[in-house]
Amino acid sequence: MAKIIVVTSGKGGVGKTTTSAAIGTGLAMRGHRTVLVDFDVGLRNLDLIMGCERRVVYDFINVIQGDATLNQALIKDKRLDNLFVLAASQTRDKDALSEEGVERVIKELSEQFDYVICDSPAGIEKGAHMAMYFADEAIVVTNPEVSSVRDSDRMLGLLSSKSRRAEQGLEPIKEFLLLTRYNPIRVENGEMLGVSDVEEILSIKLLGVIPESQAVLKASNQGVPVIFDAESDAGQAYSDAVDRLLGADVAHRFLEVQKKGLLQRLFGG
């Protein structure tokens, strides 16, 4: 049976879909059969970041409503044989996500895959609730700013009380913190919360710190998960996060201001 992981946040625009694409791709790169499921009905961005938007014929809602089979709707990644995408609908309402329908699709996916990554919409409405309801683990994505962290704290409350695990008295959802758009210089200048500040507020295990990087925007525009960019600090940070998710003890990088070497100071590099 697959491990169901929801990627969630209280606030929009923090990098959930970028994270879903990077984490799912990283798991597939390590040999795990992985599917990315877009729960953001009505908007649908995951297929863009994965570079497969032109190949969407059937979507998640089509499968739930019986208009297509799961195999018809799954899009195989062109770069990795064991990575698939189930796109959201751009034309339907989030109310089309029924609990029974989502459960049936998740169960069917669980029989075919090692990991099911659920890319949640922001906030606390129905799409977000459906994305988290069946989860075994949650990656809570937040920016190092007070409003984002506060909204993430609210999501942690929902994860611990409104999931199927909570309703059935099972072991709680395993929660991880992923801090995105981190800039050590701005932290040093007091313009941004530090890692320890966010950890103290949320009190969950730190999975990764993704530095502010132009590589993320560039990768998104190209339809390539940033984890493929092994030269970029963001790509390396996501790769480290995947290793930690799989149980490896990997030190956190990119937390400190990088000191310039002598040649950089002399020549302004």
Side-chain angles (χ1 to χ4, degrees):
M1 291 293 283
K3 188 170 282 185
I4 317 295
I5 301 176
V6 62
V7 179
T8 186
S9 76
K11 191 176 171 69
V14 298
K16 277 187 310 301
T17 302
T18 295
T19 296
S20 296
I23 295 290
T25 300
L27 289 167
M29 289 167 79
R30 286 154 179 78
H32 301 284
R33 190 170 163 83
T34 305
V35 60
L36 300 165
V37 184
D38 192 347
F39 275 81
D40 205 351
V41 177
L43 291 177
R44 199 178 96 185
N45 288 313
L46 183 60
D47 53 302
L48 285 169
I49 287 182
M50 293 300 295
C52 62
E53 70 278 6
R54 293 186 193 89
R55 297 163 61 206
V56 177
V57 177
Y58 295 111
D59 58 51
F60 193 6
I61 302 300
N62 290 141
V63 179
I64 285 176
Q65 297 186 340
D67 302 324
T69 66
L70 185 58
N71 284 336
Q72 284 178 295
L74 285 173
I75 302 167
K76 185 178 178 181
D77 186 79
K78 288 182 177 179
R79 296 152 295 220
L80 297 166
D81 287 340
N82 56 349
L83 180 62
F84 292 78
V85 174
L86 180 56
S89 171
Q90 281 185 308
T91 58
R92 305 296 181 91
D93 189 271
K94 288 181 173 64
D95 288 334
L97 287 172
S98 66
E99 187 175 309
E100 298 78 16
V102 172
E103 182 174 20
R104 178 171 48 79
V105 174
I106 292 290
K107 184 179 179 184
E108 197 173 340
L109 289 171
S110 295
E111 292 166 356
Q112 296 185 38
F113 292 92
D114 301 319
Y115 285 92
V116 178
I117 309 296
C118 303
D119 183 31
S120 171
I124 56 173
E125 41 69 49
K126 188 171 183 179
H129 174 66
M130 285 291 103
M132 77 165 86
Y133 186 72
F134 299 99
D136 301 310
E137 298 183 358
I139 298 173
V140 180
V141 183
T142 188
N143 292 159
E145 56 181 56
V146 173
S147 62
S148 181
V149 175
R150 182 192 62 198
D151 289 347
S152 291
D153 202 22
R154 189 176 184 192
M155 290 308 300
L156 290 173
L158 293 173
L159 285 166
S160 64
S161 61
K162 288 205 165 187
S163 66
R164 182 170 63 173
R165 284 176 169 270
E167 288 179 3
Q168 295 181 357
L170 303 173
E171 189 178 331
I173 292 174
K174 196 173 182 180
E175 299 159 341
F176 297 99
L177 167 65
L178 191 89
L179 201 53
T180 54
R181 295 182 185 156
Y182 193 77
N183 187 324
I185 295 174
R186 293 183 64 192
V187 172
E188 211 171 70
N189 293 338
E191 301 168 6
M192 188 177 269
L193 295 173
V195 173
S196 57
D197 299 322
V198 181
E199 284 186 293
E200 188 177 332
I201 296 167
L202 297 180
S203 300
I204 58 174
K205 186 174 181 180
L206 182 64
L207 182 68
V209 178
I210 312 302
E212 205 166 36
S213 172
Q214 285 299 312
V216 173
L217 181 61
K218 181 183 174 185
S220 295
N221 287 338
Q222 293 176 340
V224 178
V226 71
I227 198 168
F228 277 121
D229 186 357
E231 299 298 313
S232 71
D233 48 5
Q236 292 170 34
Y238 271 119
S239 186
D240 289 351
V242 173
D243 289 335
R244 291 188 201 99
L245 190 65
L246 293 171
D249 185 11
V250 181
H252 290 277
R253 300 188 273 172
F254 315 112
L255 305 187
E256 308 294 332
V257 177
Q258 296 297 306
K259 305 299 183 199
K260 289 186 177 182
L262 177 61
L263 290 175
Q264 287 178 305
R265 291 201 298 273
L266 287 174
F267 297 104

